[in-house]
């Protein structure tokens, strides 16, 4: 516990075999990449890449756990591990499948992390799990709201749709997903313009 009586959120990182990696994770969890309310994303991305390239692979489950606690941060830290070949991604695949069942705030970042990971080590059954979040996401594009907050949410959703479409191309596309993709590609609405490309590419792979 810390001096206020709360549990130390970094508890467990003391057990990591890589002390330097533990320091980087603690830095990230405490928003060390922020300056005067500005997020310095490149600092975080460099830290994430450094961990994936050089840290003890035993830290990977700890990185994955951050996705549960802070989806935006965790997805960014986990990305280079998914792109690389050092960590045991299959070991955290069950955790990724659980992320695809999430419907709470921050779920979109968990979906992206899960889709990227399962595209590497998943099965055709995982393609169905991904389609289950892709289809309502595509529907949501037709009913976007107004204002700054809605615009930011739409930007994140558009990014997620590209990741989800890429994943189902690798894992297999169901008939219902094909119908949803066709609906976007052929829609006479500018609201879905930014989603047409990823959907068209997914359809072309069928």
């Amino acid at each position: 516990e810390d001096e206020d009586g709360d549990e130390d959120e970094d508890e467990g990182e003391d057990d990591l075999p890589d002390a330097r990696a533990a320091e980087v994770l603690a830095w990230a969890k405490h928003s060390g990449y922020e300056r005067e309310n500005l997020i310095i994303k490149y600092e975080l991305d460099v830290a994430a890449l450094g961990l994936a390239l050089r840290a003890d692979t035993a830290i990977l489950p700890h990185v994955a756990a951050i996705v549960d606690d802070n989806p935006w941060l965790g997805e960014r830290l986990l990305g280079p591990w998914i792109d690389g070949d050092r960590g045991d991604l299959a070991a955290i695949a069950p955790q990724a499948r659980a992320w695809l069942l999430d419907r709470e705030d921050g779920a979109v970042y968990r979906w992206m992390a899960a889709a990227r990971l399962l595209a590497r080590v998943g099965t055709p059954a995982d393609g169905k799990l991904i389609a289950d979040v892709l289809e309502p996401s595509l529907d949501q594009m037709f009913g976007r709201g107004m204002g700054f907050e809605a615009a930011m949410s739409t930007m994140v959703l558009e990014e997620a749709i590209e990741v989800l479409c890429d994943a189902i191309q690798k894992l297999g596309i169901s008939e219902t997903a094909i119908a949803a993709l066709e609906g976007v590609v052929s829609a006479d609405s500018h609201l879905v313009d930014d989603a047409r490309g990823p959907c068209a590419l997914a359809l072309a792979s069928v």
Side-chain angles (χ1 to χ4, degrees), residues 29-48:
K29 285 184 175 183
H30 291 98
S31 303
Y33 49 85
E34 291 187 9
R35 307 285 190 283
E36 298 178 355
N37 297 320
L38 295 176
I39 297 176
I40 315 299
K41 291 182 179 178
Y42 73 82
E43 288 190 0
L44 181 57
D45 292 341
V46 168

Side-chain angles (χ1 to χ4, degrees), residues 80-93:
W81 290 92
I82 296 172
D83 294 336
D85 58 4
R86 294 184 66 237
D88 184 3
L89 298 179
I92 58 175

Side-chain angles (χ1 to χ4, degrees), residues 108-126:
V108 174
Y109 294 106
R110 294 189 181 104
W111 298 345
M112 287 193 285
R116 289 188 174 115
L117 191 150
L118 294 172
R120 289 285 311 274
V121 299
T123 67
D126 295 320

Side-chain angles (χ1 to χ4, degrees), residues 4 49-50 57 73 84 90 106 112 118 124 152 158 177 185 196:
D4 296 322
L49 181 60
T57 56
L73 175 62
M112 287 193 285
L118 294 172
M152 295 300 293
E158 289 169 352
V185 171
R196 291 185 203 275

Side-chain angles (χ1 to χ4, degrees), residues 47-76:
L49 181 60
L51 289 174
L53 291 177
R54 303 187 64 178
D56 191 310
T57 56
I59 75 162
L60 181 55
H62 295 263
V63 175
I66 297 175
V67 180
D68 291 318
D69 300 329
N70 185 334
W72 176 85
L73 175 62
E75 190 265 342
R76 214 165 185 98

Side-chain angles (χ1 to χ4, degrees), residues 93 96-98 100-101 103 111 118 123-135 164 168 171:
R97 295 181 182 109
L100 288 169
L101 302 177
R103 299 296 184 271
W111 298 345
L118 294 172
T123 67
D126 295 320
K128 176 63 168 62
L129 284 176
I130 294 169
D132 286 345
V133 296
L134 173 61
E135 292 170 33
L164 297 171
I168 61 172
L171 296 171

